[in-house]
């Protein structure tokens, strides 16, 4: 356990690479491109032509086509079979979400013109092509001259230029925050022009669990599962963190103590979620954390625990914000992994302000914090100015969004939300940014791989008894280095052994 995210399963990764080597030529074949052209010709009623090159992303392959009888070019986006784990759900949810945003807000997007499925192409989205100069990440990137390097914010960009771009995004997020939903989950178009939350949240973390860790799909929430409270959803997220620990066979734990660190942190997090404490942390209602006993200022109230949830996009980042020649927003694209989420997620400053994520930062998370914080202050200034000039007649939150975001950073709610959504970043963030805020200072000088000892007393009797057998089995599995195919019955049995709900109810 270090200062960055944990590793995915390298055996699964290798298997995916082998599948991609087989799939990639098929997607690039002229016959596949002809099928895409035929689809567009059928939809628009006139011949279409593919415009090279095709764009292969993290989850999709994208083709641009010229359609003479339509007002612009169009994009056909197909989920890549070995990468996108929920192709049907992902496609229909994104179509519904994008349509909702297009009809209910003024946020510029790439409209979804059609979506569906064919036997030859599988699931697809057809979107209007948006003319643009570049993405925001390209406009801000310090490594444009080296395409092999990860994008990172150019430290020499002026404050005025940065604040101007941030204000334009802040306006979009402020508008999006005005829309609330009665349940947590994914949007579905129930009838033409009518949308409701009727499906489980499809998140990047869930996709990674299946794609990169071999987590059996049977232990994920059922397709029609939605959530009525933030506490209920935080508990589901905690369950998924435990599932990652239980089912990732390889490369997650490096020692028995590392496994104990992960086990203790996840069991504590789940208990706090089940007790309704996660949703109040860092708000006025927080009367349980060690941090709350020493806060000198009065914090803003927590969002309503029921009936008021907001759209959150796991994949919203600078690379998906397209800019025109004047650096105005031409469109925000790729609304996959968007769902009605606990409002707490929307009350944090964006993680992408410096382009790269904290758990992916080469120099470690602490260095990321030093680089991020000054830019976050520019963001808060941009949000405050946007709020001051906003023409929204009714603000849905009594407390300004900028205030919530400032308090999120000051109290550590930012890290709580990020850790809740990211299983592979969870351990580094829990022990570095959350544990002592939750429970107070630890004994000085405790080795990092023995942090679990400082919080073992917080586990239940059943959790404590189950820990050593779990660690022994996990280490044995790590030594075997193999992939496991789980039946639904075996997966549910193994999952129950780490959740321990029956044993806890009897204590």
């Amino acid at each position: 356990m270090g200062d960055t995210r944990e590793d995915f399963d390298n055996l699964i990764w290798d298997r995916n690479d082998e599948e991609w080597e087989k799939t990639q030529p098929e997607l690039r074949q002229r016959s596949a491109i002809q099928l895409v052209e035929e689809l567009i010709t059928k939809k628009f009623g006139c011949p279409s032509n593919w415009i090279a090159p095709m764009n292969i992303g993290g989850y999709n392959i994208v083709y641009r086509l010229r359609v003479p009888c339509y007002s612009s070019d169009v994009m056909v986006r197909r989920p890549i079979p070995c990468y996108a784990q929920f192709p049907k759900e992902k496609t229909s949810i994104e179509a519904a979400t994008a349509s909702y945003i297009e009809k209910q807000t003024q946020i510029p997007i790439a409209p979804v013109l059609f979506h569906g499925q064919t036997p030859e192409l599988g699931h697809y989205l057809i979107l209007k092509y948006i003319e643009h100069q570049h993405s925001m990440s390209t406009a801000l990137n310090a490594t444009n001259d080296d395409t092999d390097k990860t994008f990172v914010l150019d430290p020499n960009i002026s404050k005025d230029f940065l604040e101007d771009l941030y204000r334009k995004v802040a306006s979009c997020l402020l508008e999006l925050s005005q829309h609330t939903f009665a349940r947590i989950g994914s949007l579905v178009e129930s009838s033409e022009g009518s949308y409701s939350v009727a499906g489980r949240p499809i998140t990047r973390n869930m996709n990674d669990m299946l794609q990169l860790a071999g987590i059996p799909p049977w232990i994920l929430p059922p397709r029609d599962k939605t959530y009525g409270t933030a506490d209920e959803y935080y508990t589901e997220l905690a369950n998924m963190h435990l599932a990652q620990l239980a089912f990732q066979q390889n490369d997650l734990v490096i020692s028995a103590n590392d496994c104990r660190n992960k086990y203790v942190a996840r069991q504590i997090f789940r208990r706090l979620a089940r007790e309704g404490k996660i949703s109040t942390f860092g708000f006025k209602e927080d009367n349980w954390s060690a941090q709350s006993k020493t806060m000198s200022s009065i914090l803003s109230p927590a969002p309503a625990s029921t009936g008021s949830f907001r759209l959150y996009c796991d994949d919203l980042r600078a690379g998906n914000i397209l800019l025109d020649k004047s650096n105005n927003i031409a469109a925000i694209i790729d609304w996959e992994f968007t769902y009605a989420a606990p409002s707490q997620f929307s009350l944090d400053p964006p993680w992408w302000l410096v382009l790269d994520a904290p758990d992916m930062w080469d120099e470690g998370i602490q260095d990321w914090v030093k680089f991020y914080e000054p830019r976050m202050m520019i963001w808060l200034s941009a949000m405050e100015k946007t709020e001051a000039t906003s023409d929204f007649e009714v603000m849905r939150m009594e407390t300004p969004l900028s205030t919530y975001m400032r308090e999120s950073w000051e109290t550590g709610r930012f890290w709580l939300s990020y850790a809740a959504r990211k299983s592979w970043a969870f351990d580094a963030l829990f022990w570095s940014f959350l544990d002592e805020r939750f429970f107070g200072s630890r004994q000085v000088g405790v080795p990092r791989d023995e942090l679990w000892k400082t919080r073992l007393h917080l586990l239940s009797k059943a959790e404590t008894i189950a820990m050593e057998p779990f660690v022994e089995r996990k280490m044995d599995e790590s030594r075997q280095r193999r992939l496991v195919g789980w039946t639904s019955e075996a997966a549910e049995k193994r999952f129950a052994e780490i959740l321990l709900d029956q044993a806890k109810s009897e204590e």
Side-chain angles (χ1 to χ4, degrees), residues 98-351:
S99 296
Y100 176 88
I101 293 171
E102 180 189 9
K103 294 172 182 176
Q104 300 296 326
T105 77
Q106 296 180 349
I107 298 171
I109 68 166
V112 175
L113 306 175
F114 303 97
H115 73 281
Q117 179 185 15
T118 71
E120 299 82 9
L121 294 174
H123 298 279
Y124 64 83
L125 283 174
I126 301 175
L127 306 103
K128 182 178 180 180
Y129 176 77
I130 303 298
E131 295 288 346
H132 60 282
Q133 182 70 18
H134 48 210
S135 70
M136 182 178 287
S137 60
T138 300
L140 299 177
N141 183 31
T143 62
N144 283 327
D145 294 335
D146 189 343
T147 57
D148 292 331
K149 288 188 176 180
T150 302
F151 279 25
V152 61
L153 179 71
D154 184 348
N156 298 315
I157 287 179
S158 73
K159 176 183 176 181
D160 289 343
F161 181 74
L162 197 58
E163 183 171 309
D164 180 64
L165 286 183
Y166 284 173
R167 283 191 68 176
K168 293 165 183 175
V169 183
S171 179
C172 295
L173 295 188
L174 185 61
E175 181 173 3
L176 196 63
S177 73
Q178 308 305 300
H179 298 263
T180 59
F181 301 85
R183 297 188 68 81
I184 293 170
S186 294
L187 283 182
V188 173
E189 189 168 9
S190 49
S191 60
E192 187 172 356
S194 178
Y195 306 90
S196 62
V197 174
R200 62 183 174 180
I202 296 294
T203 68
R204 287 194 65 172
N205 198 63
M206 286 170 59
N207 197 94
D208 289 345
M209 290 174 75
L210 270 60
Q211 178 198 356
L212 300 171
I215 311 298
W218 299 286
I219 56 87
L220 296 180
R223 289 190 176 190
D224 60 353
K225 176 66 175 177
T226 61
Y227 305 86
T229 69
D231 296 323
E232 188 182 354
Y233 186 59
Y234 278 121
T235 300
E236 191 70 80
L237 295 177
N239 290 347
M240 286 192 239
H241 291 339
L242 281 167
Q244 178 228 11
L245 179 60
F247 291 106
Q248 181 175 331
Q249 294 292 119
N250 307 292
D251 307 305
L252 182 62
V253 297
I254 59 175
S255 68
N257 271 340
D258 181 47
C259 188
R260 294 182 184 103
N261 273 346
K262 291 176 168 63
Y263 179 91
V264 169
R266 283 162 168 75
Q267 293 288 11
I268 289 174
F269 189 79
R270 184 170 187 257
R271 170 166 292 201
L272 294 175
R274 286 161 64 91
E275 293 173 350
K277 293 178 178 178
I278 294 295
S279 62
T280 64
F281 174 72
F283 293 104
K284 181 180 179 180
E285 293 79 2
D286 176 7
N287 59 5
W288 64 270
S289 72
Q291 174 180 263
S292 69
K293 308 299 190 294
T294 60
M295 291 292 292
S296 58
S297 58
I298 298 176
L299 298 172
S300 301
S305 60
T306 61
S308 183
F309 307 112
R310 289 171 167 81
L311 287 179
Y312 182 84
C313 179
D314 278 351
D315 207 28
L316 179 58
R317 51 192 170 85
N320 287 336
I321 301 171
L322 305 182
L323 304 178
D324 63 19
K325 293 180 180 179
S326 301
N327 284 319
N328 294 314
I329 296 178
I332 300 178
I333 61 171
D334 290 1
W335 292 91
E336 58 190 343
F337 306 125
T338 300
Y339 49 98
S343 289
Q344 285 85 340
F345 292 1
S346 299
L347 306 185
D348 302 325
W351 63 265

Side-chain angles (χ1 to χ4, degrees), residues 178 390-396:
Q178 308 305 300
S390 171
D391 58 1
F392 293 123
E393 293 183 4
V394 179
M395 295 295 291
R396 295 297 181 94

Side-chain angles (χ1 to χ4, degrees), residues 23-65:
T23 301
Q24 183 178 187
E26 298 174 2
L27 297 173
R28 292 179 178 275
Q29 286 176 354
R30 181 59 198 171
S31 58
I33 296 171
Q34 287 176 337
L35 289 172
V36 173
E37 290 174 333
E38 291 170 3
L39 173 66
I40 296 302
T41 297
K42 180 179 178 180
K43 291 293 185 182
F44 289 89
C46 65
S48 64
N49 296 290
W50 170 61
I51 303 173
M54 65 185 66
N55 181 17
I56 298 175
Y59 303 101
N60 309 287
I61 183 166
V62 182
Y63 309 84
R64 179 179 173 184
L65 292 99

Side-chain angles (χ1 to χ4, degrees), residues 5-104:
R5 66 170 184 146
E6 305 297 324
D7 286 338
F8 296 119
D9 189 321
N10 285 315
L11 294 186
I12 296 282
W13 195 289
D14 291 343
R15 186 180 68 183
N16 289 341
D17 284 346
E18 292 173 2
E19 292 180 6
W20 174 237
E21 290 302 316
K22 298 175 183 177
T23 301
Q24 183 178 187
E26 298 174 2
L27 297 173
R28 292 179 178 275
Q29 286 176 354
R30 181 59 198 171
S31 58
I33 296 171
Q34 287 176 337
L35 289 172
V36 173
E37 290 174 333
E38 291 170 3
L39 173 66
I40 296 302
T41 297
K42 180 179 178 180
K43 291 293 185 182
F44 289 89
C46 65
S48 64
N49 296 290
W50 170 61
I51 303 173
M54 65 185 66
N55 181 17
I56 298 175
Y59 303 101
N60 309 287
I61 183 166
V62 182
Y63 309 84
R64 179 179 173 184
L65 292 99
R66 180 70 37 81
V67 188
C69 60
Y70 186 61
S71 59
S72 74
D73 293 346
V74 301
M75 310 292 286
V76 176
R77 209 173 81 197
R78 301 170 56 196
I80 298 173
C82 53
Y83 292 168
Q85 301 300 301
F86 312 96
K88 181 178 181 179
E89 287 176 273
K90 188 175 82 73
T91 301
S92 61
I93 289 168
E94 180 171 6
T97 304
S99 296
Y100 176 88
I101 293 171
E102 180 189 9
K103 294 172 182 176
Q104 300 296 326

